[in-house]
Amino acid sequence: MIENLPPCPKCSCEYTYEMNALVVCPECGHEWVPAESGVAGEDAAAGPVVKDAVGNVLHDGDTVVVVKALKVKGSPSGIKAGTKVRNIRLVDPVAGHDIDCKIDGFGAMQLKSSVVKKA
């Protein structure tokens, strides 16, 4: 049994109660599973939350800015700080790299979320 039941997401009634695996609102009759309600439930279903260097939550399609200069293997010049990267895609981390993107002049590559900030 959950001690502090969440308020109803539809009408914000605080007098909710449990019925088996559901939480029920007596005022509007809305029923929901507490683990799936709200933004936290949607993020948990989508996977782990990815945050940038300053703590902002990143999503697929966001635009980010590189916060420090990065060396790129096989390239005489690296990626400069302040480079804007559009339309990122979040992936499962591979060696700490959890962002797939295309950078103008460099092509497709993976970045760590710790070296970017949301634009």
Side-chain angles (χ1 to χ4, degrees), residues 7-17 19 22-33:
C8 177
K10 296 263 184 184
C11 69
S12 300
C13 172
E14 60 186 45
Y15 302 110
T16 56
Y17 62 92
M19 185 171 68
L22 298 175
V23 177
V24 181
C25 175
E27 290 186 8
C28 69
H30 180 65
E31 299 176 347
W32 72 98
V33 178

Side-chain angles (χ1 to χ4, degrees), residues 2-118:
I2 301 174
E3 301 236 349
N4 295 325
L5 293 172
C8 177
K10 296 263 184 184
C11 69
S12 300
C13 172
E14 60 186 45
Y15 302 110
T16 56
Y17 62 92
E18 279 186 311
M19 185 171 68
N20 297 328
L22 298 175
V23 177
V24 181
C25 175
E27 290 186 8
C28 69
H30 180 65
E31 299 176 347
W32 72 98
V33 178
E36 294 180 0
S37 66
V39 175
E42 292 171 9
D43 288 343
V49 176
V50 178
K51 294 185 178 184
D52 66 3
V54 293
N56 297 322
V57 177
L58 297 174
H59 302 285
D60 284 344
D62 282 347
T63 298
V64 296
V65 176
V66 177
V67 294
K68 69 179 208 175
L70 303 172
K71 295 180 182 178
V72 178
K73 286 185 181 179
S75 174
S77 64
I79 299 170
K80 296 179 181 178
T83 302
K84 190 176 275 192
V85 181
R86 292 181 175 84
N87 199 18
I88 65 168
R89 190 173 61 125
L90 302 178
V91 295
D92 291 330
V94 177
H97 299 84
D98 46 10
I99 297 174
D100 265 348
C101 61
K102 289 184 181 176
I103 299 177
D104 293 338
F106 292 96
M109 59 180 27
Q110 293 182 328
L111 296 173
K112 293 183 179 182
S113 58
S114 61
V115 298
V116 299
K117 73 176 183 177
K118 200 169 190 175

